[in-house]
Amino acid sequence: MTPSRGEQRIDLVMKDTKDAIAYVEDGIVLNVNPTFLELFGYESSGELEALPVLELFASESHPAIKDALKVTGKGKTVKPIKVKGKHGKGDSFDTTI
């Protein structure tokens, strides 16, 4: 199946930005960009595709992330929140989403 123009634009933005971006739908990771892979310590996006996004964050960050996902799911924006990410090698790190 050929990607739509919108999908092609999203792919270009994700590849060209220096920001870590994950495309998440219904709490499941669909795609990530190279900066996201580097930040979280993974080699390829295939390692994260279909993974519940909460698995990438420490449990103490889950309530804030769930709240943010609910709000953004309604088409609203949220202010950045500080969370603890889980690196692929097991270490945790502070980040803002």
Side-chain angles (χ1 to χ4, degrees):
M1 184 151 99
T2 305
S4 70
R5 289 185 80 170
E7 290 170 327
Q8 290 173 352
R9 287 183 190 150
I10 289 170
D11 286 345
L12 283 173
V13 169
M14 287 184 70
K15 288 177 186 170
D16 290 343
T17 186
K18 293 181 182 184
D19 294 325
I21 298 175
Y23 182 64
V24 176
E25 187 172 317
D26 296 328
I28 304 297
V29 177
L30 299 180
N31 196 3
V32 297
N33 71 345
T35 306
F36 191 96
L37 290 172
E38 184 178 334
L39 177 65
F40 282 84
Y42 289 89
E43 298 280 324
S44 73
S45 60
E47 295 177 83
L48 300 176
E49 288 172 0
L51 184 76
V53 71
L54 291 177
E55 289 188 23
L56 295 169
F57 297 93
S59 59
E60 69 243 32
S61 298
H62 289 185
I65 294 168
K66 286 178 183 178
D67 289 344
L69 288 170
K70 286 178 190 174
V71 171
T72 57
K74 294 177 183 176
K76 298 180 182 178
T77 59
V78 295
K79 292 183 180 180
I81 54 174
K82 293 183 180 184
V83 296
K84 284 214 176 279
K86 289 180 4 185
H87 195 272
K89 294 179 181 171
D91 300 329
S92 64
F93 60 94
D94 294 326
T95 191
T96 302
I97 60 170

